[in-house]
Amino acid sequence: MAAVNAVFVDVDTGIDDALALIFLLASDIDVVGIASTGGNISVDQVCANNLGLLELCGVPDIPVSKGADDPLHGQWGESSKFHGPKGLGYADLPATDRRLTRYDATTAWVEAARARPGELIGLVTGPLTNLALALRAEPALPTLLRRLVIMGGTFGEQPVSEWNIRVDPEAATEVFAAWAGHQELPVVCGLQLTRRVAMTPEILARLATAAGPSPLITMIKDAVRFYFESHESRGLGYVAFMHDPLAAAVALDPQLVSARAATVDVDLTGARGRTVADYSGSREPNAQIAVDVDPAAFFDLFIERVAAFARKKFASR
Ligand code: BDR
Ligand code: CA
């Protein structure tokens, strides 16, 4: 029987994607499938990272599917420098016998949603390529899903575009168009909000203390240390923005943010990937833009859940 509390996640793992996955695995929800997309790094590395993370976390087999290795038009540009050559900074993952599904990420999205009409939560923390392809295969996805949460876009002054949307703006356009006019609009966690949710060395130390030593906490510390350094080298401070973990938390509990309905336009020409939100109400809305969050509440939740998971998983090992 299909799980009622079920989430399907599409990631380009990525340090903060990895933390989002760990948060989901630590939560009281069934992760029914993981779609991998290129973006931060190549799709093959993303697949390896997803399988290795499942091994590290010691969870039962969760289907991991390979998705797009190119955007809808053209090719990805350079890999993101934020995550390191293998995507997880200084962290190592254990070897694993786990294998990818025989079907691809498009099929995984469609089958997961069809199997649980009205029940499945969708979460995308990478480019929207796989979801756009899934929508082409199953245009009813907006009604089949219970809700969709996207980490993507930016709705402040600067910068004008955000990575996940910028690397495949055509996919984002197709996704927003598909949801236009639907009752359950995708909740969009943009950069202007997720940058307010900054992990610091103090917060990381709180997590490590609450969890106690374990290979999982070692992995998190090694990954986040790199993320601190990559933020610092770009003038953002010795912090690490929790873009994707916030989106994961919102997927499970949308009340963590306040949101406003808007019509989002994605620039496909001049400033490719620039996202503009029209809140006037004069056009059909296609998104709920998350506009406010309590970062301290998020970190309390994240630490409590991940620390309890780490203690439970590694207590007897
Ligand atoms: C987004 O870009 C990626 O590098 C992160 O994983 C996150 O999903 C932030 O712009
Ligand atoms: Ca990501």
Side-chain angles (χ1 to χ4, degrees):
M1 202 177 78
V4 174
N5 270 322
V7 63
F8 182 92
V9 55
D10 194 327
V11 289
D12 62 338
T13 320
I15 294 169
D16 59 331
D17 302 79
L19 296 174
L21 273 174
I22 292 166
F23 175 81
L24 292 175
L25 296 173
S27 300
D28 184 20
I29 187 138
D30 274 358
V31 181
V32 300
I34 300 174
S36 316
T37 172
N40 281 328
I41 38 167
S42 75
V43 72
D44 288 322
Q45 186 65 56
V46 171
C47 290
N49 290 351
N50 291 336
L51 294 170
L53 270 171
L54 295 181
E55 187 71 32
L56 174 68
C57 290
V59 291
D61 271 347
I62 294 173
V64 176
S65 304
K66 180 171 168 174
D69 201 11
D70 280 316
L72 294 185
H73 294 191
Q75 294 182 318
W76 313 119
E78 273 187 39
S79 295
S80 166
K81 301 276 188 306
F82 271 93
H83 305 269
K86 288 181 154 184
L88 293 176
Y90 298 122
D92 286 322
L93 290 173
T96 180
D97 292 335
R98 295 172 193 244
R99 294 284 171 261
L100 297 173
T101 59
R102 291 174 184 274
Y103 49 88
D104 68 8
T106 303
T107 306
W109 261 111
V110 171
E111 293 305 319
R114 283 183 182 158
R116 305 164 182 79
E119 291 180 356
L120 186 67
I121 298 168
L123 169 66
V124 184
T125 66
L128 287 156
T129 321
N130 293 334
L131 180 54
L133 293 171
L135 278 162
R136 291 180 183 181
E138 176 50 282
L141 274 181
T143 46
L144 284 171
L145 290 178
R146 174 169 156 202
R147 69 172 160 266
L148 174 68
V149 175
I150 295 169
M151 191 284 130
T154 184
F155 304 94
E157 306 272 299
Q158 285 293 332
V160 297
S161 66
E162 178 279 332
W163 172 271
N164 289 338
I165 303 291
R166 188 167 64 244
V167 297
D168 197 345
E170 280 79 10
T173 301
E174 291 191 19
V175 169
F176 287 121
W179 257 268
H182 280 271
Q183 210 184 340
E184 277 299 320
L185 296 172
V187 179
V188 179
C189 299
L191 209 58
Q192 87 294 348
L193 189 80
T194 58
R195 280 187 168 189
R196 288 174 46 198
V197 183
M199 174 87 84
T200 61
E202 293 71 29
I203 296 174
L204 185 59
R206 265 177 63 204
L207 170 65
T209 303
S214 71
L216 177 60
I217 295 301
T218 301
M219 178 265 152
I220 291 175
K221 282 162 69 176
D222 289 347
V224 174
R225 192 169 75 255
F226 186 95
Y227 216 25
F228 285 152
E229 291 173 5
S230 54
H231 282 68
E232 187 179 43
S233 69
R234 280 156 193 81
L236 298 165
Y238 198 75
V239 296
F241 298 138
M242 294 291 101
H243 311 286
D244 297 347
L246 177 68
V250 172
L252 304 198
D253 180 8
Q255 304 298 326
L256 279 172
V257 290
S258 46
R260 286 179 68 192
T263 309
V264 174
D265 291 303
V266 181
D267 198 332
L268 298 178
T269 53
R272 267 176 74 74
R274 180 171 63 126
T275 40
V276 179
D278 175 356
Y279 296 105
S280 69
S282 59
R283 299 161 61 203
E284 206 159 44
N286 57 17
Q288 286 280 347
I289 310 293
V291 292
D292 203 8
V293 65
D294 177 352
F298 164 78
F299 279 115
D300 287 349
L301 177 71
F302 185 83
I303 289 171
E304 182 193 312
R305 218 166 265 185
V306 174
F309 180 67
R311 285 198 307 271
K312 185 168 140 209
K313 281 286 167 190
F314 293 93
S316 57
R317 290 199 194 178

